[in-house]
């Protein structure tokens, strides 16, 4: 038996292999599909996608082979990796390199072998796509068959590259998600009287929910927004906007000025086809009780539900942030109200009202209002969240980023009095 020598670029080759992070991973249909196709095309009982590690060869996908790996020293594929070219062995019993190989004299009793290298875009041979038979094939394989096997090897490598790219994107999105969470979460959102539900359509969301206490007067400010689109394209603007929002609160800036400065920031930094539909909610404590101010620009109507289940709508009247550089219109619609005792405020992104109910119809703002009015005040939030979870379960392909906010003024009053 002749053991294959190590390639001159062995360390680079191994480094390239390990970058795919595929060794010892579970079966995946994309690779199993290749093996099934190879077995049909070549009418062979055995085929493998083999990745050649330092001391072993490991099978990402296989047919007719019981083991998941074997020693590299006895492998046929080691020879393919060394020479970087196809290897055809019509009859292993007639080839002195393999006649006494344990894979020939014992299971799986290989008599015929044909393998082509899996070559990275940088020219490194990390593995082999091979076919094997328990019977010799004196004629070997034809030029067309070799071309087919080579094409399938290239497709396998492309699949490996796609898998690696997806893993890299997933890792980067997870980092971005953690950055966004750090930028948006704060103690106000966890305070008594504040409940929120947040569910992105993808790993990253174009929705944002910011909350803070203004240094100048102790007022609570909530900014609910929805960037155009969803996923990473929409989420990229969240951390910078969050930082701008919290800076203004810390400086004690008034709500109208905050809106103007956020608008200027977005006009300067967003591409022309992006903007932010948003609502700013201010809750403050004055001598005559809690005062509520709502500004809505492009989001569904914000609903104030009284203890008697009467609803007041704060409809969209402003222009979304980031469209027009002028800040003068941003204060339009910001009026102060005295909410009724024991009332609660509900705000949401359009993913809530566009959710589908059990009968397939869109919830819409009327359906949300009815749900809130028909539910006991203590149960309203949970009822709506249950609707959202059911909608996601039954309409997973038709779902948007979802943010839902409830403000309980009785509990907020105690917090504002501190």
């Amino acid at each position: 038996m002749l053991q294959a020598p190590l390639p001159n670029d062995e360390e680079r080759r191994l480094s390239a292999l390990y970058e795919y992070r595929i060794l010892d991973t579970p079966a995946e249909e994309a690779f199993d599909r290749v093996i099934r196709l190879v077995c049909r095309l070549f009418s062979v009982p055995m085929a493998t996608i083999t990745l050649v590690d330092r001391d072993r060869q490991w099978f990402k996908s296989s047919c007719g082979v019981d083991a998941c790996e074997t020693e590299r020293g006895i492998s046929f594929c080691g020879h393919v990796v060394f020479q970087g070219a196809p290897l055809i062995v019509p009859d292993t019993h007639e080839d002195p390199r393999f006649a006494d190989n344990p894979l020939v004299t014992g299971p799986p009793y290989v008599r015929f072998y044909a393998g082509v290298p899996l070559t990275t875009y940088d020219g490194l041979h990390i593995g082999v796509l091979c076919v094997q038979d328990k019977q010799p094939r004196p004629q070997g394989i034809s030029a067309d068959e070799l071309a087919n096997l080579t094409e399938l090897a290239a497709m396998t490598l492309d699949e490996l590259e796609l898998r690696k790219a997806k893993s890299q994107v997933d890792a980067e999105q997870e980092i971005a998600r953690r950055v966004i969470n750090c930028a948006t979460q704060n103690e106000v959102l966890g305070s008594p009287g504040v409940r929120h539900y947040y569910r992105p359509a993808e790993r990253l969301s174009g929705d944002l929910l910011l909350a803070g206490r203004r240094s100048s007067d102790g007022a609570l400010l909530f900014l609910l927004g929805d960037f155009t689109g969803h996923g990473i394209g929409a989420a990229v603007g969240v951390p910078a906007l969050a930082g701008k929002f919290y800076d203004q609160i810390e400086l004690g800036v008034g709500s109208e000025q905050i809106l103007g400065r956020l608008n200027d920031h977005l006009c300067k930094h967003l591409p022309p086809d992006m903007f932010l539909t948003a609502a700013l909610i201010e809750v403050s404590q004055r001598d005559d009780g809690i005062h509520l101010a709502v500004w809505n620009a492009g989001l569904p109507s914000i609903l104030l539900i009284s203890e008697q289940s009467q609803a007041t709508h704060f409809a969209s009247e402003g222009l979304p942030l980031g469209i027009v550089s002028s800040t003068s219109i941003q204060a339009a619609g910001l009026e102060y109200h005295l909410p009724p005792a024991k009332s609660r405020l509900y705000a949401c992104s359009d993913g809530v009202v566009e959710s589908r109910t059990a009968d397939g119809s869109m919830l819409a703002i009327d359906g949300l209002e009815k749900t809130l009015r028909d539910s006991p005040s203590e149960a309203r939030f949970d009822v709506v969240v249950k609707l959202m979870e059911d909608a996601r379960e039954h309409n997973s392909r038709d779902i948007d980023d979802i943010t839902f906010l409830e403000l309980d003024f009785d509990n907020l009053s105690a917090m504002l009095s501190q």
Side-chain angles (χ1 to χ4, degrees), residues 24 32 52 69 75 271 322 375 377:
D24 302 310
D32 292 344
V52 179
E69 63 180 57
S75 70
S375 304
S377 59

Side-chain angles (χ1 to χ4, degrees), residues 56 59 86 88 103 197 213 243 272 283 292 296 302 319 327 356 416:
R56 61 172 178 157
F59 309 132
I88 313 299
L103 301 177
Y197 172 80
R213 192 163 190 171
V283 183
L292 168 69
N296 187 358
I302 296 171
L319 193 65
T327 62
R356 299 285 175 177
L416 287 166

Side-chain angles (χ1 to χ4, degrees), residues 327-354:
T327 62
S328 61
I329 65 170
Q330 300 304 335
L334 190 66
E335 299 178 355
Y336 289 83
H337 307 266
L338 285 167
K342 299 186 181 302
S343 59
R344 302 188 184 201
L345 190 77
Y346 298 90
C348 66
S349 61
D350 57 9
V352 173
V353 296
E354 292 175 1

Side-chain angles (χ1 to χ4, degrees), residues 404-415:
F404 181 58
L405 173 68
E406 177 191 71
L407 300 181
D408 177 355
F409 293 113
D410 282 358
N411 279 320
L412 288 178
S413 178
M415 180 182 175

Side-chain angles (χ1 to χ4, degrees), residues 60-223:
K60 174 57 184 174
S61 181
S62 65
C63 176
V65 178
D66 294 332
C68 63
E69 63 180 57
T70 63
E71 295 177 21
R72 179 176 178 175
I74 63 173
S75 70
F76 288 68
C77 294
H79 290 268
V80 180
V81 165
F82 170 71
Q83 64 190 33
L87 172 65
I88 313 299
V89 184
D91 187 349
T92 58
H93 288 186
E94 302 298 326
D95 192 316
R97 294 173 297 176
F98 305 108
D100 58 349
N101 188 295
L103 301 177
V104 175
T105 60
Y109 299 102
V110 177
R111 289 292 301 274
F112 162 76
Y113 175 93
V116 296
L118 300 174
T119 305
T120 71
Y121 299 160
D122 294 329
L124 299 168
H125 312 300
I126 61 170
V128 179
L129 175 63
C130 66
V131 295
Q132 302 160 66
D133 201 343
K134 296 177 184 292
Q135 302 297 325
R137 295 193 178 188
Q139 75 283 5
I141 62 174
S142 68
D144 285 344
E145 288 175 322
L146 179 58
N148 287 338
L149 193 59
T150 302
E151 289 287 348
L152 288 166
M155 291 170 56
T156 302
L157 195 283
D158 288 342
E159 194 63 44
L160 286 169
E161 287 288 339
L162 287 172
R163 187 185 184 281
K164 181 170 72 171
K166 182 180 184 302
S167 295
Q168 291 172 341
V169 169
D170 287 346
E172 291 168 0
Q173 287 191 346
E174 177 59 20
I175 292 171
R177 185 190 65 80
R178 291 164 61 187
V179 169
I180 291 170
N181 283 349
C182 290
T184 57
Q185 292 187 0
N186 59 83
E187 61 182 13
V188 172
L189 289 176
S191 301
V194 181
R195 299 183 72 185
H196 68 283
Y197 172 80
Y198 168 80
R199 190 74 179 267
E202 301 176 9
R203 185 188 296 266
L204 298 176
S205 172
D207 282 8
L208 63 85
L209 177 59
L210 310 176
R213 192 163 190 171
R214 189 161 53 203
S215 61
S216 57
D217 59 1
L220 299 176
L221 273 70
F222 301 86
L223 181 69

Side-chain angles (χ1 to χ4, degrees), residues 277-386:
T277 58
L280 183 70
I281 301 166
E282 178 187 318
V283 183
S284 57
Q285 182 74 52
R286 302 185 184 179
D287 292 340
D288 55 348
I290 281 186
H291 280 236
L292 168 69
V294 177
W295 175 86
N296 187 358
L299 289 182
S301 290
I302 296 171
L303 300 172
L304 179 65
I305 309 294
S306 70
E307 184 182 20
Q308 294 76 31
S309 295
Q310 295 177 330
T312 300
H313 286 241
F314 296 94
S316 170
E317 296 181 355
L319 193 65
L321 301 176
I323 295 181
V324 179
S325 59
S326 171
T327 62
S328 61
I329 65 170
Q330 300 304 335
L334 190 66
E335 299 178 355
Y336 289 83
H337 307 266
L338 285 167
K342 299 186 181 302
S343 59
R344 302 188 184 201
L345 190 77
Y346 298 90
C348 66
S349 61
D350 57 9
V352 173
V353 296
E354 292 175 1
S355 294
R356 299 285 175 177
T357 59
D359 63 3
S361 61
M362 189 176 293
L363 179 63
I365 191 64
D366 292 341
L368 176 61
E369 178 186 341
K370 184 177 187 305
T371 299
L372 292 170
R373 293 179 64 180
D374 290 350
S375 304
S377 59
E378 295 296 329
R380 290 172 187 155
F381 181 86
D382 293 327
V383 169
V384 173
V385 168
K386 179 65 164 56

